[in-house]
Amino acid sequence: LPKKKARLFNKINTKIDLDSPKVATMDKLAAGDKKVYCRCWQSGTFPLCDGTHTAHNKETGDNVGPLIVSVEKAEE
Ligand code: FES
């Protein structure tokens, strides 16, 4: 395959901000927050996970899943 086509087959991100040279996200968590971030690049609510990875794993035999981040509540 020509190099450019080979790169297309290796793309992970096929739908998020494709016009951007890099998809980067900043987010903040407050004490007591919990967020679930997508790592499969298939979520309809990217960068948050919407559970689409489950269907992706069933279809492909992959084993991807989200990053779950939480911040404990501050003690008073
Ligand atoms: S939808 Fe991508 S990790 Fe859940």
Side-chain angles (χ1 to χ4, degrees):
L1 289 173
K3 256 187 179 174
K4 195 170 184 178
K5 277 207 171 190
R7 261 188 264 133
L8 282 176
F9 283 110
N10 291 327
K11 282 188 84 165
I12 294 168
N13 177 19
T14 59
K15 61 184 184 181
I16 312 294
D17 293 338
L18 296 179
D19 292 337
S20 174
K22 177 170 64 178
V23 179
T25 305
M26 296 279 290
D27 204 357
K28 289 183 179 177
L29 279 79
D33 280 355
K34 176 182 169 184
K35 292 189 178 180
V36 183
Y37 294 95
C38 175
R39 295 192 299 179
C40 75
W41 292 86
Q42 302 300 311
S43 176
T45 59
F46 194 88
L48 299 177
C49 171
D50 69 356
T52 300
H53 62 268
T54 303
H56 166 80
N57 288 345
K58 274 187 185 166
E59 289 170 14
T60 64
D62 213 341
N63 64 349
V64 296
L67 168 67
I68 303 170
V69 181
S70 62
V71 178
E72 291 182 19
K73 283 186 179 171
E75 288 186 30
E76 292 180 27

